[in-house]
Amino acid sequence: MEQNVTRLYEEFESQVRLSNPAADFERMRRAFEFADSLHAGQTRRDGSPYITHPLATAAIVAELGLDDDSLIAALLHDCIEDTATTHADVEKLFGRDVADIVDGVTKLTRVQYTSKEEEQMENLRKMLMAMARDIRVILIKIADRLHNMRTMEYQTPEKQREKSRETMEIYAPIAHRLGMQRIKWELEDLSLYFLDTVAYQEIKQGLEGRERENAGFFRRTENRIREHLRDGNCECEVYGRVKHIYSIYRKMMAQNKTFQEILDLYAFRVVVDSIAECFHALGHIHELFNPIPGKFKDYITLPKPNGYQSIHTSVIGDGGIPLEVQIRTWEMHQQAEYGVAAHWKYKRGLERVEGEEKFAWIRRLLESQQESDPQEFVQALKTDMFADEVFVFTPKGDVVNLPAGATPIDFAYGIHSAVGNSMTGAIVNGRIVPYSHALQNGDIVEVLTSKSSKGPSRDWLNIIKSPEARNKIRQWFKKEKREENILHGRVSFESELRRNNLTLADFLRDDVLTKALKKLAYPTADDFYAAIGYGGMSAQKAVNKIRDDIQIAVKTRKTEEKSELPAPRPVPRGKPVSGVVVEGLDNCLVKFARCCTPVPGDSIIGFITRGYGVSVHRGDCQNYIKSRSNPEESGRWISVEWANGESDVFSASLSVAFIRRAGAILDVTNAVAGLKIRMTQMSAREDGNVTSVHMTLSVKNSDELGALISRLQNLEGALEIRRTEA
Ligand code: MN
């Protein structure tokens, strides 16, 4: 067995010697021996020594033409994951770069996948690429996966399906994005084999059948194209191939066709020296074979997003067999086959292609660096790949894509504004972190929330990175302010109504409200209050606009109520008692109702109580208004009036609301004292930005009370003054 491994290593070494004779073979052998000793005793499922896997992975990496460090890292790629070796051990022996690459591959290996919707898959792919930081990590990971897929037959059926799905959804698309067609195709075909074996076999056998039918087709067509182009003075290479199985499978699925109905199974590549010759060659091919209309695509002028360039055309070949021809330069060919890895493999030729269309984001990198030294190139890739994005996990394994430097606050708002607004802390990878913590690729982020959270802080706006979070936090503040605005607006509107002898209840009646809001041009009462609150509408102007309508409605209602209710019982006039004359009753017991505390000057009404004489209420007392519509009580109300020249004092209560400010309560008590009115009781409370004072006073009459009310109304910040129950 040991001898077998040594032989495998020597094969690998001679393979590297062919493509990279200047490699450090001494260091490479040390890496192999180190890995071999670490994996000693471990075997793969097929029974072979474990080291054969890293060795095969390194061989794939060597095919891509990567540098020494990549080859050594590929040999060591499972050491940290599967043996007791650490980053520090690898660094001591093979340097920081190799250790970082091995560490990167290990991190990717540890990412857990769950099958998700396509958008999640795209984020997962981006996250893997971002986590890799160094493109070599991704390339080694892809090589690792390719070898695992090639040897998947030894795994359990569950494992085969799981890994195949992952390969199809994650690794093949990444290979495609990096422009590595060959590896992408192989990954797809291997995955398809395990995911839909029946279809795979059917296509494979179908292709073999076609090949028998069309024996010699490839060689014949290749020769015809080559000779025709050479006659036209166009030097070229021509390669024919059958399209890969998964691409045929996908076409069958998408177009709902059987294998027999799929015609374009053959593809020919024509590789020439320059772009000018590409178009030249296209003309010659259209001379040779009839083109199929609508099948021509120029990816040279407009490259695919992954940088792919070629001219595609479909033609009818010999024997009426349709075929696709792809025309490209050598440079484009290397790029299409090896993608980003082509940089290492063909770096010597790079000066030649300056100015030509290249793999888009790599071209940007190259433009920013005059010297396309591989070391510098790698450095640039390390910093440039998704440098402006960060990908993190929710505790459930969903990937969230955020701007680089994003904080847990950005994450919380990325989940939902309600999560952000009730956030009270964050846990990253199991540890509590401050709000300003910068998230790293692959972090698992959990947001702590509480219903009693006071909402976002304005300071958050200084540390967050995503415009989304910024908008949501601003919206929250606007909305919060809106509530303050509504509160203030309503209070001043109500106060203005009272100055016009109207109440908020009059305004809020169904028959008034809709019409009034329409007239004022606000969709809801809250919008209207909010507008008054922030000063967009004056309460006075608003009341002026709608006063008549409200008054008419109130009058109509009063008339209706009057006609429905019996009038107070007319009684003959009697003598005054306690300053009140009760019509038709002499010397009856009179007391003043505590609910509305009438004072001389107020309009009053009497209620004949059961055994306690007449209780005197104000004409606008809510209890009176309620009671008179009660048929059992309505007949007990009688007319009363104030006797003249009375010198008694009466108790009255006031409620004063004003915008919270220092000294406001003192101003209220000073106003009371200034009129020499005695205050018998006072309480104050605060509700948001509004302070309410409630007080009970001893006054001679309603004039005295009116004087106090007008003084209070002139106080700074006064919102509303209202007579209340005691
Ligand atoms: Mn591996």
Side-chain angles (χ1 to χ4, degrees):
M1 202 62 100
E2 189 51 47
Q3 221 160 16
N4 189 24
V5 166
T6 309
R7 191 178 49 75
L8 278 175
Y9 179 74
E10 275 155 9
E11 278 171 20
F12 164 72
E13 205 182 71
S14 46
Q15 181 204 339
V16 175
R17 221 175 274 280
L18 280 176
S19 61
N20 190 2
D24 185 345
F25 291 101
E26 199 271 338
R27 188 163 164 256
M28 211 172 297
R29 181 173 280 274
R30 268 199 299 126
F32 163 69
E33 280 163 1
F34 180 64
D36 191 26
S37 69
L38 289 172
H39 290 297
Q42 297 176 353
T43 51
R44 306 204 84 217
R45 279 189 81 101
D46 63 357
S48 59
Y50 193 86
I51 189 67
T52 56
H53 164 65
L55 202 44
T57 304
I60 295 168
V61 172
E63 263 176 69
L64 292 172
L66 299 198
D67 62 350
D68 291 8
D69 279 351
S70 307
L71 295 176
I72 290 169
L75 288 169
L76 301 174
H77 82 266
D78 277 329
C79 283
I80 294 182
E81 182 66 14
D82 292 341
T83 76
T85 313
T86 64
H87 180 280
D89 297 336
V90 177
E91 183 177 348
K92 206 157 67 190
L93 289 167
F94 300 102
R96 179 73 188 271
D97 257 25
V98 171
D100 283 351
I101 297 172
V102 174
D103 207 39
V105 176
T106 307
K107 280 193 182 119
L108 295 192
T109 304
R110 288 178 185 162
V111 171
Q112 292 294 313
Y113 307 88
T114 39
S115 204
K116 292 266 160 68
E117 358 17 317
E118 182 48 31
E119 189 198 357
Q120 275 292 307
M121 282 302 158
E122 173 57 13
N123 276 336
L124 207 49
R125 292 191 283 264
K126 280 189 186 167
M127 184 176 74
L128 290 179
M129 292 175 76
M131 273 178 81
R133 285 214 193 93
D134 183 329
I135 194 78
R136 292 175 293 182
V137 170
I138 276 285
L139 297 176
I140 292 170
K141 184 67 203 165
I142 289 172
D144 170 49
R145 174 52 56 103
L146 181 56
H147 183 246
N148 281 334
M149 286 305 297
R150 283 176 182 172
T151 52
M152 194 53 70
E153 62 193 293
Y154 301 104
Q155 295 288 349
T156 61
E158 291 77 32
K159 192 103 179 167
Q160 288 172 346
R161 274 193 300 276
E162 185 198 324
K163 291 288 166 191
S164 297
R165 208 169 294 130
E166 199 177 285
T167 301
M168 200 65 112
E169 287 169 343
I170 305 287
Y171 289 101
I174 288 178
H176 174 72
R177 179 158 311 172
L178 296 175
M180 307 158 85
Q181 288 319 307
R182 258 184 28 182
I183 287 184
K184 178 205 162 198
W185 289 340
E186 191 176 348
L187 288 173
E188 283 176 345
D189 281 0
L190 287 166
S191 302
L192 180 65
Y193 175 78
F194 294 108
L195 291 173
D196 193 343
T197 314
V198 175
Y200 179 94
Q201 297 289 14
E202 187 200 323
I203 296 170
K204 193 161 183 282
Q205 281 156 21
L207 286 174
E208 283 162 4
R210 288 282 181 91
E211 228 167 293
R212 277 193 301 275
E213 284 170 33
N214 304 323
F217 175 75
F218 279 116
R219 205 165 37 82
R220 240 179 10 253
T221 307
E222 279 173 5
N223 286 338
R224 274 197 70 186
I225 295 174
R226 196 181 294 114
E227 277 156 28
H228 188 82
L229 261 69
R230 280 180 186 164
D231 288 347
N233 248 340
C234 186
E235 226 15 77
C236 67
E237 268 316 317
V238 182
Y239 308 96
R241 64 175 175 90
V242 177
K243 288 189 171 176
H244 77 293
I245 294 178
Y246 181 65
S247 75
I248 295 167
Y249 175 82
R250 226 179 27 200
K251 194 165 267 179
M252 285 165 62
M253 290 296 145
Q255 303 175 1
N256 199 19
K257 284 182 174 170
T258 64
F259 177 80
Q260 300 309 321
E261 292 172 293
I262 300 289
L263 297 173
D264 42 349
L265 299 172
Y266 305 103
F268 287 79
R269 280 204 199 104
V270 177
V271 188
V272 294
D273 284 332
S274 70
I275 291 180
E277 281 177 310
C278 288
F279 290 96
H280 228 103
L282 176 70
H284 286 304
I285 285 160
H286 284 179
E287 257 168 41
L288 195 59
F289 304 114
N290 278 330
I292 301 172
K295 289 280 193 173
F296 167 74
K297 290 189 193 89
D298 177 5
Y299 294 119
I300 289 182
T301 314
L302 284 172
K304 286 191 180 182
N306 68 356
Y308 176 85
Q309 286 186 296
S310 280
I311 292 169
H312 289 193
T313 183
S314 290
V315 298
I316 304 295
D318 290 343
I321 299 168
L323 51 106
E324 186 180 65
V325 183
Q326 301 165 351
I327 307 164
R328 50 174 75 151
T329 64
W330 285 104
E331 187 59 38
M332 293 167 190
H333 183 61
Q334 305 309 344
Q335 194 69 58
E337 294 284 284
Y338 301 103
V340 59
H343 178 84
W344 282 276
K345 206 173 171 81
Y346 294 92
K347 52 183 180 265
R348 277 155 303 175
L350 270 173
E351 287 97 335
R352 263 196 315 114
V353 298
E354 216 179 332
E356 278 183 38
E357 273 302 317
K358 287 283 292 173
F359 200 41
W361 53 280
I362 290 177
R363 189 187 67 245
R364 279 203 305 278
L365 288 175
L366 293 175
E367 278 167 0
S368 65
Q369 298 175 221
Q370 294 305 312
E371 296 276 72
S372 52
D373 169 50
Q375 280 321 92
E376 283 180 40
F377 179 73
V378 165
Q379 280 303 322
L381 282 180
K382 278 183 193 174
T383 52
D384 230 43
M385 193 165 49
F386 298 106
D388 50 352
E389 286 174 274
V390 62
F391 301 88
V392 298
F393 283 116
T394 68
K396 280 185 186 163
D398 286 343
V399 180
V400 179
N401 181 357
L402 298 166
T407 65
I409 302 170
D410 294 288
F411 174 85
Y413 280 99
I415 300 294
H416 196 277
S417 51
V419 176
N421 289 338
S422 59
M423 178 176 189
T424 56
I427 296 176
V428 171
N429 302 331
R431 238 178 268 158
I432 292 190
V433 297
Y435 282 134
S436 59
H437 178 86
L439 297 174
Q440 304 295 319
N441 281 312
D443 278 352
I444 300 169
V445 188
E446 189 183 338
V447 177
L448 304 173
T449 59
S450 162
K451 275 181 187 156
S452 57
S453 144
K454 284 182 181 146
S457 147
R458 286 191 191 274
D459 300 337
W460 292 7
L461 292 168
N462 300 324
I463 50 174
I464 54 165
K465 291 284 182 282
S466 61
E468 191 188 2
R470 190 168 302 277
N471 284 340
K472 286 177 174 173
I473 292 173
R474 283 203 177 134
Q475 221 156 41
W476 187 87
F477 278 111
K478 199 173 161 193
K479 194 181 160 245
E480 282 306 291
K481 253 224 159 89
R482 178 178 151 86
E483 267 144 33
E484 283 172 30
N485 290 338
I486 291 171
L487 181 67
H488 287 156
R490 196 183 59 215
V491 170
S492 40
F493 175 62
E494 190 175 358
S495 174
E496 187 61 33
L497 283 174
R498 285 190 178 273
R499 259 195 279 273
N500 287 277
N501 293 316
L502 295 168
T503 65
L504 195 61
D506 294 333
F507 169 72
L508 290 173
R509 284 175 54 94
D510 289 345
D511 54 336
V512 176
L513 187 65
T514 321
K515 207 173 148 193
L517 285 176
K518 204 173 171 191
K519 205 164 191 175
L520 294 162
Y522 290 99
T524 69
D526 277 357
D527 292 318
F528 167 57
Y529 299 147
I532 295 178
Y534 73 78
M537 164 64 102
S538 102
Q540 211 180 347
K541 265 192 191 164
V543 172
N544 283 346
K545 266 193 181 172
I546 58 174
R547 182 178 37 217
D548 291 353
D549 293 339
I550 303 178
Q551 275 169 348
I552 288 165
V554 169
K555 233 179 228 168
T556 314
R557 175 163 43 101
K558 277 191 178 153
T559 321
E560 280 166 5
E561 279 169 3
K562 253 183 202 158
S563 62
E564 284 162 17
L565 291 168
R569 195 170 57 198
V571 281
R573 192 181 172 85
K575 278 183 189 164
V577 176
S578 302
V580 173
V581 179
V582 180
E583 284 183 346
L585 292 175
D586 290 341
N587 293 324
C588 75
L589 192 59
V590 168
K591 60 169 189 162
F592 295 100
R594 257 186 293 176
C595 55
C596 55
T597 59
V599 298
D602 287 342
S603 86
I604 46 175
I605 187 94
F607 183 76
I608 304 163
T609 66
R610 297 176 206 273
Y612 297 96
V614 172
S615 165
V616 178
H617 292 254
R618 273 164 36 196
D620 58 354
C621 171
Q622 287 300 311
N623 286 339
Y624 162 58
I625 291 165
K626 266 183 232 152
S627 163
R628 67 180 178 178
S629 55
N630 177 344
E632 279 177 27
E633 289 180 347
S634 60
R636 300 169 71 174
W637 291 98
I638 58 168
S639 302
V640 293
E641 57 186 46
W642 297 104
N644 293 327
E646 197 50 61
S647 62
D648 286 356
V649 287
F650 301 87
S651 179
S653 292
L654 280 186
S655 174
V656 186
F658 46 86
I659 292 169
R660 199 165 113 190
R661 65 175 171 88
I665 295 174
L666 190 64
D667 288 349
V668 172
T669 54
N670 283 343
V672 174
L675 289 167
K676 301 206 162 52
I677 295 173
R678 200 163 70 84
M679 190 188 283
T680 57
Q681 194 210 324
M682 187 180 101
S683 64
R685 76 189 168 88
E686 286 181 348
D687 182 9
N689 278 2
V690 177
T691 302
S692 319
V693 175
H694 186 262
M695 54 194 174
T696 307
L697 308 154
S698 290
V699 291
K700 288 194 194 73
N701 51 42
S702 65
D703 288 348
E704 196 176 44
L705 194 59
L708 175 63
I709 289 173
S710 74
R711 274 202 189 193
L712 292 172
Q713 270 168 348
N714 287 329
L715 290 179
E716 184 195 336
L719 293 171
E720 188 194 39
I721 293 105
R722 175 155 72 79
R723 282 179 68 182
T724 58
E725 298 173 14

